[in-house]
Amino acid sequence: MQRPGTVFSASLTVRLWRLVGLLFSLALLALLLYALDLDTFRNLAADIPPVSLLLALLIYVFLNVFRTLRFQVLLDAGAPPLHALWPVVLVHNLMVRLMPFKTGEFAWLLLLRRHFGQSVGAGLGSLLGARLFELLIVLLVGGAALVQGSGRFDEGRGVLTLLLAALFLLCLAGLFSAARLLRQLRLRLPDRGHFSRRLAASLPALESNLARLRLPRVFLLTLLLSCLTWGSSVCFNLVLLAGLGIHGLPLLVGVISITMLVEALPVASISGLGVIEGGWTFGLVSLAGLEPGAAVATGFFLHACQLLAATLCGLGGWLWLRRLPLVEPAR
């Protein structure tokens, strides 16, 4: 049986980690706001062509279509049809962008249960699968673009490429062994308490979803759709950067991948503020050669465009969801 002191120690560790992450993101946000040139930011917003904004919004719509198709593959036979699942993905994406401390991820579980009766385990399995594949693509494709496109890595390019490949294989091995690790966790869970029983009841569905990732069809389709999702995210930012007069492939692909990787880190923040802008600033200054003031303004502008696109799509998804009937959640 799990000791109360162990549970308390784990809970305290998580709270301390969140507090440290929050303080770090707030301090970073304060530094970036201090370095932000409001005139530069206003000029960026005024000078970018409207066609660039419209094209970026269209790409963002297709990005969420690819996300929906990936969730359908991960949910398998229990997946709702595309026209019904797409608005759920839009609302979930909005919640992830707006809610602090990554709590918006829970919207996926709640919306699946409310509208389609999906179990918590199935929803969590599809969400974890999607996030793990996103991380794999960012590490492999984005990291390769960064290493190959930047002159800073000329001397150690071969070694860095091998390290990226090794890291990719390590993450892939962890993905394939996740189901086995969950099975061991389920067998060790104490059969006491309401929370332990609820957790044990949801683990089989989660274990089954993750085990399906080893199937060649599921793995290849999820990998393909994750590449399309990553590519859409890259194109969204490339269109905006081109509208701002910033060019250069594949270097900018590496800069975008740095921001994606920073955004995926488990750091407590308020809607990603400070962390995302910090990733943009670091990449644009160190790799693209922008001045710090211009890089900070560009980072805030790109994040603002992302939030605007997520809000427009999310509101459309919410209006669509209001037309869908509610179902009895699965037990």
Side-chain angles (χ1 to χ4, degrees), residues 36-118:
L36 175 64
D37 187 341
L38 291 177
D39 290 335
T40 302
F41 182 86
R42 284 193 291 264
N43 291 334
L44 292 176
D47 294 342
I48 189 169
V51 66
S52 297
L53 296 175
L54 291 176
L55 181 57
L57 180 60
L58 180 62
I59 293 172
Y60 202 83
V61 171
F62 278 100
L63 163 63
N64 285 286
V65 171
F66 294 138
R67 284 173 174 163
T68 306
L69 292 172
R70 182 176 59 190
F71 276 126
Q72 279 191 310
V73 173
L74 293 171
L75 289 170
D76 194 30
L82 179 64
H83 73 274
L85 189 59
W86 189 37
V88 171
V89 172
L90 294 176
V91 174
H92 166 240
N93 179 64
L94 176 60
M95 294 297 100
V96 170
R97 299 297 174 192
L98 295 184
M99 295 182 67
F101 314 132
K102 299 187 181 295
T103 53
E105 297 286 16
F106 292 105
W108 175 249
L109 311 180
L110 297 175
L111 290 170
L112 281 184
R113 281 178 60 84
R114 184 180 183 187
H115 291 281
F116 309 114
Q118 293 282 341

Side-chain angles (χ1 to χ4, degrees), residues 109 112-113 116-124 202 205-206 209 329-331:
L109 311 180
L112 281 184
R113 281 178 60 84
F116 309 114
Q118 293 282 341
S119 67
V120 173
L124 187 58
S202 64
L206 173 59
N209 271 64
R331 299 294 180 184

Side-chain angles (χ1 to χ4, degrees), residues 158-172:
V159 176
L160 288 174
T161 303
L162 290 176
L163 287 176
L164 280 174
L167 184 59
F168 174 79
L169 293 175
L170 182 63
C171 293
L172 198 60

Side-chain angles (χ1 to χ4, degrees), residues 1 190-200:
M1 186 178 70
D191 190 17
R192 296 186 176 217
H194 178 69
F195 176 76
S196 295
R197 288 193 294 270
R198 290 289 298 272
L199 179 60

